[in-house]
């Protein structure tokens, strides 16, 4: 086996991908779309994950999006979404995916699955009880992890009314007072240290292999980030925070789930090509934009350098790479830095707006002309 193949499958060998890990995107597509230097007719290479951000990229009016994932279960998340866009109304879509209460998710799921391939159908049929209970956007390991947090940990820290009060509309000084007076207590500090320890996160949500390259205390990181999202940003406008703390959708939705985007996305679904496999080997030709999720964070520096180099070979002049880091610092490898330019000013502006507040870094790099 060549070195290329060894590097590409190494994360696959360490982590198990049989289950759905992320049943919805935990990255803010508003930021993603603003970060690309987009013109109609471009080609994008994107990590699939749950598929929400692939769908959001259609709003840039691309010629094609190649969406790749190592995990068949993640590809099935996008397949179900595409079928739902084709067969359900917007409200039905929100019900099926758990952003609205529903007593008929079984029927909505059955309708959407009629439009799916047998593999996708059988995966989602096996998940039907969970879909009925939580919605198709809440059945991943990561969402289960937040559910455990809401059920067992959050009530030890704050009352339901304090949690609900986070989402009241306030100006910045009032948000700061609320945070310091009501949220930031000793139980918050203690419980976040325990719950976000690498051991517990490994058990409940993230595969422990993903922590091989992560330094620092996850609890302290989470506390800093929550303060930013609760005080510097406006939590009443944050769908990710609402979902994490309350488990319900509100009027504020992620990009691909908004009513005003539904018809446009539905009309452009045939521009998506799905590939199960490593992103560096997916699709043909060159791309103008790369949505790389936070894949480099799960790789060693050597793997990052190798995969980054391969993606760079497939970049059109002026193409942009966009990716996040949760805790491990990742950016263009040193020996390739002369071929890309990092865009710190654009990054700084977007970081202020990034509603998926838990990442420590957002990286935008532009390929030299
Ligand atoms: C990196 S994960 C993170 C998702 C996101 N940060 C979140 O919290 O929802 C996103 C997806 O990338 C996929 N993935 C990781 N490395 C990959 C690679 N080299 N090629 C294709 N897919 C990859 C995983 O299977 C997963 O579905």
């Amino acid at each position: 086996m060549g070195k290329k193949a060894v590097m590409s499958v190494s994360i696959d060998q360490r982590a198990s991908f049989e289950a759905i890990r992320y049943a919805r995107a935990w990255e803010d597509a508003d930021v993603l779309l603003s970060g690309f230097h987009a013109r109609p007719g471009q080609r994008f290479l994107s990590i699939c994950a749950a598929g929400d951000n692939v769908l959001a990229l259609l709003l840039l009016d691309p010629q094609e999006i190649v969406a790749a994932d190592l995990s068949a279960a993640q590809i099935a998340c996008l397949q179900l979404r595409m079928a739902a866009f084709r067969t359900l109304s917007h409200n039905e879509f929100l019900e099926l995916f758990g952003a609205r209460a529903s007593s008929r998710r079984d029927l909505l799921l059955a309708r959407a699955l009629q439009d799916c391939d047998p593999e996708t159908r059988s995966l989602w049929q096996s998940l039907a009880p969970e879909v009925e209970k939580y919605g198709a956007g809440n059945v991943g390991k990561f969402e289960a992890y937040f559910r455990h947090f809401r059920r067992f940990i959050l009530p030890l820290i704050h009352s339901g009314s304090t949690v609900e009060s986070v989402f009241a509309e306030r100006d910045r000084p009032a948000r700061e007072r609320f945070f310091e007076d009501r949220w930031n207590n000793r139980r918050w500090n203690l419980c976040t240290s325990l719950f976000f320890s690498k051991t517990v996160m490994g058990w409940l949500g993230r595969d422990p292999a993903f922590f091989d390259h992560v330094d620092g205390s996850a609890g302290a990181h989470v506390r800093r980030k929550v303060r930013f999202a609760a005080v510097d940003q406006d939590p009443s406008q944050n769908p990710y925070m609402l979902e994490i703390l309350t488990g319900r959708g509100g009027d504020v939705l992620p990009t691909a789930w908004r009513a005003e985007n539904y018809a446009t996305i539905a009309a452009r679904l045939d521009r998506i090509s799905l590939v199960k496999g490593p992103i560096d080997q997916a699709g043909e030709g060159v791309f103008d934009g790369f949505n790389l999720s936070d894949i480099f964070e799960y790789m060693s520096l050597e793997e990052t350098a190798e995969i980054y180099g391969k993606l760079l070979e497939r970049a059109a002049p002026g193409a942009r790479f966009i990716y996040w880091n949760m805790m491990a610092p990742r950016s263009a490898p040193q020996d390739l830095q002369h071929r890309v330019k990092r865009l710190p000013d654009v990054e700084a502006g977007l970081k202020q707006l990034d509603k998926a507040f838990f990442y420590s870094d957002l990286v935008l790099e532009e390929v030299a002309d």
Side-chain angles (χ1 to χ4, degrees):
M1 195 187 290
K3 193 173 171 222
K4 173 174 106 176
V6 172
M7 291 301 184
S8 298
V9 296
S10 62
I11 188 168
D12 213 3
Q13 290 168 343
R14 274 182 276 134
S16 128
F17 284 108
E18 295 94 43
I20 294 175
R21 202 168 275 282
Y22 309 95
R24 61 170 64 203
W26 291 99
E27 290 151 7
D28 185 350
D30 289 341
V31 163
L32 187 67
L33 301 192
S34 308
F36 284 122
H37 195 58
R39 286 179 307 280
Q42 291 182 320
R43 298 186 75 233
F44 291 89
L45 183 58
S46 176
I47 285 292
C48 178
D52 292 318
N53 290 359
V54 177
L55 296 170
L57 285 172
L58 289 173
L59 298 168
L60 298 178
D61 199 6
Q63 179 197 118
E64 186 186 11
I65 303 169
V66 176
D69 209 294
L70 295 169
S71 156
Q74 295 300 146
I75 301 261
C77 289
L78 180 50
Q79 300 271 27
L80 179 67
R81 280 163 169 75
M82 292 169 71
F85 267 87
R86 289 193 174 106
T87 53
L88 304 182
S89 70
H90 176 247
N91 263 324
E92 290 171 334
F93 178 94
L94 294 185
E95 282 183 50
L96 175 60
F97 282 89
R100 294 287 176 269
S102 178
S103 55
R104 52 167 184 166
R105 288 199 188 105
D106 51 342
L107 300 176
L108 298 175
L109 181 65
R111 265 171 61 200
L113 288 181
Q114 276 174 7
D115 213 42
C116 289
D117 61 279
E119 219 177 280
T120 303
R121 208 176 301 141
S122 88
L123 179 115
W124 282 103
Q125 276 164 349
S126 73
L127 290 169
E130 278 147 290
V131 172
E132 275 185 59
K133 203 161 165 190
Y134 306 121
N138 291 319
V139 300
K141 271 188 109 179
F142 205 55
E143 293 78 30
Y145 169 68
F146 285 133
R147 235 178 348 263
H148 289 297
F149 174 73
R150 277 195 299 277
R151 186 151 169 219
F152 299 113
I153 308 294
L154 197 52
L156 302 176
I157 309 173
H158 289 304
S159 67
S161 67
T162 300
V163 171
E164 280 302 329
S165 184
V166 169
F167 301 99
E169 284 183 32
R170 296 183 177 88
D171 59 16
R172 194 190 185 286
R175 292 199 296 268
E176 186 153 26
R177 276 198 304 279
F178 173 83
F179 188 84
E180 294 307 341
D181 296 349
R182 301 225 0 231
W183 192 269
N184 194 18
N185 60 21
R186 275 179 41 209
R187 279 169 301 170
W188 167 242
N189 283 284
L190 184 66
C191 289
T192 44
S193 290
L194 289 176
F195 190 74
F196 293 101
S197 67
K198 291 178 185 175
T199 316
V200 176
M201 282 172 91
W203 286 340
L204 295 178
R206 300 204 143 203
D207 194 301
F210 287 165
F211 286 94
D212 288 356
H213 308 294
V214 171
D215 300 319
S217 145
H221 169 80
V222 167
R223 285 190 294 276
R224 269 195 311 276
K225 290 290 159 183
V226 169
R227 190 184 197 289
F228 173 75
V231 175
D232 300 308
Q233 294 185 329
D234 180 355
S236 74
Q237 299 303 308
N238 191 324
Y240 306 98
M241 193 155 193
L242 184 69
E243 181 60 41
I244 292 169
L245 293 183
T246 72
R248 62 177 164 75
D251 294 335
V252 182
L253 292 162
T255 320
W257 293 17
R258 293 177 196 148
E260 66 269 28
N261 296 332
Y262 201 71
T264 309
I265 291 174
R268 295 176 178 169
L269 292 172
D270 57 359
R271 303 186 196 179
I272 297 174
S273 309
L274 273 165
V275 178
K276 185 194 167 299
I279 190 162
D280 51 287
Q281 293 170 29
E284 307 270 315
V286 295
F287 296 91
D288 304 290
F290 295 76
N291 167 30
L292 301 175
S293 180
D294 56 346
I295 60 168
F296 296 128
E297 174 155 74
Y298 300 156
M299 302 177 192
S300 67
L301 287 170
E302 293 73 30
E303 284 172 293
T304 299
E306 171 167 353
I307 304 300
Y308 195 105
K310 286 186 186 148
L311 293 171
L312 199 50
E313 293 306 315
R314 314 190 52 200
R320 284 188 179 179
F321 284 20
I322 302 185
Y323 51 97
W324 282 265
N325 298 317
M326 180 94 74
M327 279 177 277
R330 294 287 180 268
S331 57
Q334 198 120 40
D335 60 340
L336 296 175
Q337 280 175 9
H338 63 287
R339 293 177 54 193
V340 293
K341 170 172 77 191
R342 198 160 168 175
L343 305 172
D345 295 344
V346 187
E347 285 176 12
L350 291 176
K351 276 186 220 177
Q352 292 304 309
L353 304 175
D354 195 340
K355 297 181 286 302
F357 54 92
F358 26 80
Y359 297 95
S360 60
D361 207 3
L362 166 68
V363 183
L364 263 84
E365 285 155 344
E366 190 169 274
V367 176
D369 283 329

